[in-house]
Amino acid sequence: MDRELQDYYEDRFSTMSSKGWKDLIEDVQAMYDATNQISSTDNFEGFHKRKGQLDILQWILSLKQVSEQTYEELLNADNT
């Protein structure tokens, strides 16, 4: 893995270990839980809008895990 890519992941992990990140994830989880209610959607357009919102919120919620997995895969590729 080149140094620029390694720095990218190290900076990301530094951000994700901060209290601010943990607070953000709590807020995003609350937004996800509140938005994940199909019963409050009254039409097809609203359903698709809500689905898009949930996709973005889920991406944020999974960003740390996906970043960690990708970083491990890159490290393993360098060691083989």
Side-chain angles (χ1 to χ4, degrees):
M1 174 179 354
D2 68 25
R3 187 66 199 164
E4 185 177 349
L5 186 57
Q6 185 173 352
D7 288 345
Y8 170 83
Y9 279 101
E10 288 175 2
D11 290 344
R12 179 173 276 194
F13 296 141
S14 176
T15 298
M16 291 176 175
S17 66
S18 72
K19 179 169 178 0
W21 178 262
K22 292 173 186 161
D23 291 343
L24 173 67
I25 292 301
E26 286 178 17
D27 292 344
V28 170
Q29 184 65 58
M31 289 173 65
Y32 182 89
D33 294 343
T35 305
N36 196 15
Q37 302 294 324
I38 290 180
S39 61
S40 63
T41 304
D42 57 359
N43 60 39
F44 196 64
E45 183 179 309
F47 173 78
H48 279 286
K49 179 180 177 182
R50 180 133 329 164
K51 184 178 180 317
Q53 291 170 332
L54 290 170
D55 287 345
I56 292 167
L57 294 170
Q58 184 60 46
W59 176 78
I60 294 169
L61 291 171
S62 66
L63 185 59
K64 183 177 180 182
Q65 179 183 1
V66 170
S67 296
E68 289 170 346
Q69 289 173 342
T70 302
Y71 186 73
E72 287 297 320
E73 289 173 9
L74 289 168
L75 288 176
N76 289 336
D78 284 348
N79 292 329
T80 56

